[in-house]
Amino acid sequence: MSNKITWVSILQGWSMLLVVIGHIMLTNIFQNEATPVTAFIEKTIYSFHMPLFMFISGFLFYHTKIEKDKDYKTTITDKSKRLLIPFCFFTIACLLLKYAFNPLMKRPVELSFNYIINSFLYPASNPLGELWFISTLFILFLFLPVYKYALANKIRTGICWIICLSVFVFFPSNIDFLCISRVGYYAIYFFTGTIFFKYAYYKYLESKTVFIVSTLLFITLTVLSVPKIFLSFSGILFSICLCLQLAKYIPTLFGSFRDYTFQIFLLGIFFQMAVRFSYLKVGIESLYVFFYFVSILVALYIPTIMAIQIKKSKVPLIRLFFGL
């Protein structure tokens, strides 16, 4: 299997598009009743987009590390460079940037030793709150030996999956230190992603009939009041089936940005904040749709352009700052 799997690349682009749309919030109010259409979009996206991100991360972790039997030291060193260096860089950069514009910030920051330390130890309170994802993902990577052991046969795999499900259901939800509660919450999605690749379950989802069924299931569960785990997995299933179909007809879909999803994740929010401030400053409600689409475009393509240029840098540290 090639390093680039078309439908997975499209799935990465799709998931990043969902994240970007979910971060728009031009009015600074999540699921604003004054904008019911976008409020519904936000509600739908937030029902599954981060579980989808974790699922894809587990899927790719199996493909790039577990399947190739990469050793622990090499894997964690690689992930440290890829995740922790950008985490530290963007924490400090965002702290300084927010401090410079503190009066305009929804979440003001302070320049103190305790605040800086807490930004690392409690990532959800980080100046760039979205960095909780990096911390959570890195800790999940640390369990590489567990995944290798569990995926050795289907019995172990099933037992480990049940353990992850039990952790999801019973693990305390208020442990913010190093995002431990989020690790427990998202482990089920991450591990399911590794299983999905290990046993090539995607081969059973390639037909149009399965795509139609997955779409109807997702719509039904979105309308009904069901436990979020069912809605999240139905959203993941729908996304996979959608991208499997899209890969057949539009294999280059999202090709303009799908190779730079991590950089979009790191940088996009800054440009969306600029668009948000501009919209609030202009104060013309009739321009809402215009600013909404501008927010999507700037979050996707300015980071992509920046990443392409940074990638050409001859200074390795600069590339590492941006996860390249």
Side-chain angles (χ1 to χ4, degrees):
M1 186 172 288
S2 64
N3 289 329
K4 291 289 185 180
I5 308 170
T6 301
W7 73 266
V8 178
S9 294
I10 294 174
L11 185 63
Q12 288 178 280
W14 165 251
S15 64
M16 195 66 248
L17 177 62
L18 294 177
V19 170
V20 165
I21 294 174
H23 283 169
I24 294 176
M25 285 183 285
L26 291 177
T27 61
N28 270 336
I29 301 173
F30 183 61
Q31 295 181 26
N32 191 350
E33 294 181 358
T35 55
V37 174
T38 55
F40 176 76
I41 292 173
E42 289 170 5
K43 180 181 178 181
T44 303
I45 287 174
Y46 273 80
S47 69
F48 75 95
H49 79 304
M50 292 316 298
L52 174 61
F53 241 71
M54 287 296 180
F55 178 91
I56 295 171
S57 298
F59 188 103
L60 293 175
F61 192 58
Y62 183 88
H63 177 47
T64 59
K65 304 298 181 184
I66 300 174
E67 185 182 42
K68 296 178 180 178
D69 198 28
K70 297 286 186 179
D71 67 88
Y72 191 80
K73 181 179 179 181
T74 300
T75 298
I76 300 307
T77 299
D78 175 65
K79 293 303 180 183
S80 297
K81 292 178 181 178
R82 169 80 168 163
L83 297 178
L84 298 188
I85 292 177
F87 180 90
C88 294
F89 174 74
F90 276 86
T91 294
I92 299 302
C94 191
L95 174 64
L96 296 175
L97 183 62
K98 277 195 165 186
Y99 187 77
F101 296 94
N102 245 357
L104 300 175
M105 293 296 108
K106 188 176 181 180
R107 291 191 306 129
V109 300
E110 58 182 82
L111 285 180
S112 68
F113 178 78
N114 287 339
Y115 186 89
I116 294 173
I117 294 300
N118 285 339
S119 295
F120 290 98
L121 298 181
Y122 299 89
S125 65
N126 191 283
L128 186 59
E130 291 74 15
L131 293 183
W132 69 262
F133 173 78
I134 295 179
S135 175
T136 302
L137 190 59
F138 181 77
I139 293 176
L140 286 170
F141 287 147
L142 295 177
F143 291 92
L144 173 62
V146 177
Y147 308 136
K148 286 185 175 181
Y149 176 82
L151 294 167
N153 60 62
K154 288 190 175 182
I155 294 177
R156 292 181 187 175
T157 299
I159 292 172
C160 188
W161 193 89
I162 292 172
I163 291 173
C164 288
L165 179 62
S166 300
V167 170
F168 176 90
V169 174
F170 298 110
F171 197 73
S173 61
N174 59 350
I175 304 177
D176 294 327
F177 179 72
L178 295 178
C179 289
I180 296 301
S181 287
R182 299 193 189 213
V183 172
Y185 182 89
Y186 286 105
I188 183 70
Y189 302 109
F190 183 91
F191 186 60
T192 302
T194 67
I195 296 172
F196 200 78
F197 195 103
K198 164 72 175 180
Y199 299 106
Y201 287 137
Y202 49 85
K203 292 181 180 179
Y204 302 102
L205 305 177
E206 295 178 342
S207 71
K208 289 183 180 179
T209 300
V210 175
F211 167 61
I212 293 170
V213 171
S214 70
T215 303
L216 293 175
L217 176 65
F218 178 59
I219 292 172
T220 301
L221 295 183
T222 299
V223 173
L224 299 176
S225 178
V226 298
K228 188 174 179 181
I229 189 170
F230 295 112
L231 186 53
S232 295
F233 271 119
S234 71
I236 292 171
L237 178 64
F238 160 72
S239 296
I240 292 170
C241 293
L242 171 65
C243 293
L244 281 166
Q245 292 302 311
L246 291 172
K248 297 177 183 178
Y249 304 105
I250 322 174
T252 59
L253 185 64
F254 306 134
S256 57
F257 66 84
R258 69 192 188 192
D259 290 335
Y260 300 99
T261 54
F262 187 44
Q263 289 69 44
I264 293 170
F265 176 80
L266 292 170
L267 292 163
I269 190 67
F270 295 103
F271 301 104
Q272 289 187 296
M273 288 171 59
V275 173
R276 186 183 310 161
F277 290 149
S278 299
Y279 173 74
L280 293 173
K281 184 70 173 179
V282 171
I284 302 176
E285 292 184 6
S286 61
L287 292 177
Y288 181 86
V289 174
F290 170 77
F291 276 93
Y292 191 88
F293 283 101
V294 168
S295 184
I296 295 173
L297 292 174
V298 299
L300 289 175
Y301 290 106
I302 295 181
T304 297
I305 293 170
M306 291 177 64
I308 292 171
Q309 296 306 313
I310 294 169
K311 200 172 182 179
K312 298 176 183 178
S313 172
K314 297 180 180 180
V315 183
L317 186 59
I318 293 178
R319 297 197 299 270
L320 287 173
F321 282 158
F322 293 89
L324 291 166

